[in-house]
Amino acid sequence: MSLSFVGRRLPGLVGSMAMLLIAGCSTLPSNGPTARAIVKHSKASDGSVRFRIIDLDLHAVDSMNSAERERFTTLPALAPLAIDQRVDLIGPGDVLTISVYEVGVSLFGGGVRSAPGGFDPSAHGESFPDTVVDAEGRVNLPYLGAITVGGLTADAAQKRIAAGLRGKSQDPRVLVAIKQNVANTIYVSGAVNKPGRLALTLGREHLLDAIASAGGSASTSDDTIVRFVRGGRTVDQRLGTIRASTQDDLILIPGDRIELIRRPRTYTVFGAVTRISQVAFETGEVSLAEALARAGGPNDAVADPSAIFLFRYGVHVGTETEEPVIYRLNLLRPESYFLAQRFAMHDKDVLYIANARANQPAKLFGIINQLFAPFITARQIAN
């Protein structure tokens, strides 16, 4: 085929191809629906997922923020788990040091001691090897056998042992100390820098104290879940929402288990943006305005700034049932930028920026240009 022939037939060929492409305009590639398509599908009754579209205005944002505050007060929190319990009672597994001091007739010091003037009034002590409290809360001591000390304080254990020695020793005095505390401990595990067991003291450690003693969270507090187990009950709460000395900062009791779980909060951005991405919150709260800025905002070349959609499963307060909801923001209105600052993002939100309706013709002409640029060049060469 000669270049002159191509040049003569080019106008008719371009017209025919353009008509074919215009007829198939609806099938051109796209990274998502237009605003019109989203609204149309929200009203469809074809059995697919039904959703509501809510235009963001001042009333809608205030209503949503009010509902969020109400829902936040109903979320599971640690405060209801608070109970008071002693942390100084001897229990199974504890290692005790026991010492006995005697005056006069000595059970452990070899009988009666005499001085040149008669009776020796000095005290004589005997320290036993480290003694482990058995599963029944008992310890075995010479001349006494098994004595139950479980559930007693060290002071009460001293008095019980001394009472058992009376009649066998003239004036026994007993000292009991907990060398290794096992019964009064809690456990910290998961995403902490130094997981392990922590012995409780009479200083009454709090939840945040235990986490600090374990080296702190290995992740940011806002991306960390505290899973707290007490008495068979388990409650999850984000570490970033627990403030020191508040009701959620529980006073710990023996047997508590604390597990820190790394769970980053993210939102996903689709549509007419520079790059589709998953974005981490990284801070306590992120507004819709901040989320749009982090995503690079609408792409000027292809986006419809009047059609910013946020997809979310909304939860009805009281019923706790989920409903798919789409919030729509029109950035062509100046007041929308104020609203976007007051609209808080949620974990796993999907942010979609719709394609402009004029985007399809632009794509069409781009395809036509790519197809016929060689023929146009050839015609110019022929002439």
Side-chain angles (χ1 to χ4, degrees):
M1 182 181 295
S2 66
L3 291 177
S4 61
F5 176 78
V6 171
R8 290 193 302 271
R9 298 295 303 275
L10 184 57
L13 183 60
V14 170
S16 299
M17 292 299 294
M19 292 300 295
L20 290 174
L21 287 172
I22 291 172
C25 185
S26 60
T27 62
L28 289 174
S30 176
N31 57 14
T34 62
R36 182 179 180 182
I38 292 176
V39 174
K40 179 180 178 181
H41 281 282
S42 71
K43 301 176 181 179
S45 58
D46 57 359
S48 58
V49 177
R50 300 296 304 276
F51 52 86
R52 291 189 300 135
I53 296 180
I54 300 176
D55 290 311
L56 286 182
D57 54 22
L58 183 60
H59 174 73
V61 172
D62 286 343
S63 297
M64 190 196 66
N65 289 340
S66 177
E68 284 297 311
R69 287 191 294 269
E70 182 179 350
R71 179 172 176 267
F72 183 78
T73 60
T74 64
L75 289 175
L78 297 173
L81 297 182
I83 58 175
D84 188 22
Q85 185 173 319
R86 301 193 65 153
V87 296
D88 59 349
L89 302 181
I90 298 171
D94 285 348
V95 178
L96 308 180
T97 57
I98 303 174
S99 300
V100 178
Y101 298 87
E102 303 169 286
V103 176
V105 177
S106 177
L107 182 62
F108 298 99
V112 178
R113 296 177 180 273
S114 298
F119 179 74
D120 182 3
S122 62
H124 306 278
E126 178 74 15
S127 294
F128 299 105
D130 292 344
T131 305
V132 179
V133 181
D134 66 18
E136 303 298 326
R138 300 173 302 187
V139 292
N140 281 285
L141 298 176
Y143 304 108
L144 295 178
I147 294 182
T148 300
V149 294
L152 303 177
T153 63
D155 183 63
Q158 292 173 175
K159 294 177 180 178
R160 177 167 292 186
I161 295 172
L165 290 173
R166 290 192 181 95
K168 300 180 177 67
S169 176
Q170 183 173 343
D171 189 17
R173 295 286 188 273
V174 180
L175 290 179
V176 174
I178 302 175
K179 182 177 182 180
Q180 184 176 349
N181 195 340
V182 175
N184 298 291
T185 57
I186 57 99
Y187 302 86
V188 184
S189 62
V192 290
N193 292 305
K194 295 187 298 181
R197 178 187 298 180
L198 174 68
L200 301 177
T201 69
L202 292 176
R204 304 311 304 267
E205 288 78 8
H206 289 249
L207 168 62
L208 294 181
D209 298 332
I211 294 175
S213 296
S217 172
S219 184
T220 62
S221 60
D222 292 309
D223 287 337
T224 302
I225 296 291
V226 176
R227 177 161 294 168
F228 192 89
V229 181
R230 170 177 287 179
R233 297 176 61 189
T234 302
V235 174
D236 290 354
Q237 185 172 342
R238 283 206 177 268
L239 178 59
T241 65
I242 303 173
R243 299 290 180 261
S245 300
T246 61
Q247 291 182 334
D248 289 329
D249 188 18
L250 295 172
I251 296 177
L252 301 175
I253 63 173
D256 285 344
R257 293 183 177 272
I258 304 166
E259 180 184 5
L260 267 61
I261 303 170
R262 185 176 181 271
R263 191 174 296 170
R265 298 166 302 147
T266 61
Y267 62 92
T268 311
V269 184
F270 293 96
V273 290
T274 304
R275 183 172 62 90
I276 294 174
S277 58
Q278 184 182 45
V279 185
F281 276 46
E282 296 181 350
T283 57
E285 293 184 357
V286 174
S287 69
L288 177 55
E290 292 171 323
L292 286 168
R294 292 183 183 184
N299 188 326
D300 288 341
V302 295
D304 180 0
S306 68
I308 311 297
F309 295 97
L310 188 138
F311 293 71
R312 172 184 297 171
Y313 274 97
V315 178
H316 291 288
V317 178
T319 63
E320 296 302 315
T321 57
E322 292 186 336
E323 176 193 18
V325 179
I326 298 177
Y327 297 95
R328 178 167 54 186
L329 183 70
N330 184 356
L331 288 181
L332 294 180
R333 297 176 178 174
E335 65 271 17
S336 295
Y337 292 86
F338 293 104
L339 298 175
Q341 294 179 57
R342 298 180 58 184
F343 187 97
M345 298 290 290
H346 286 188
D347 186 26
K348 303 302 180 287
D349 275 349
V350 174
L351 186 59
Y352 175 73
I353 301 175
N355 289 272
R357 294 178 63 182
N359 191 23
Q360 293 294 82
K363 288 183 179 180
L364 172 64
F365 291 125
I367 293 174
I368 292 174
N369 183 60
Q370 292 178 13
L371 286 174
F372 296 111
F375 295 105
I376 295 173
T377 302
R379 183 178 181 180
Q380 292 173 345
I381 294 174
N383 295 333

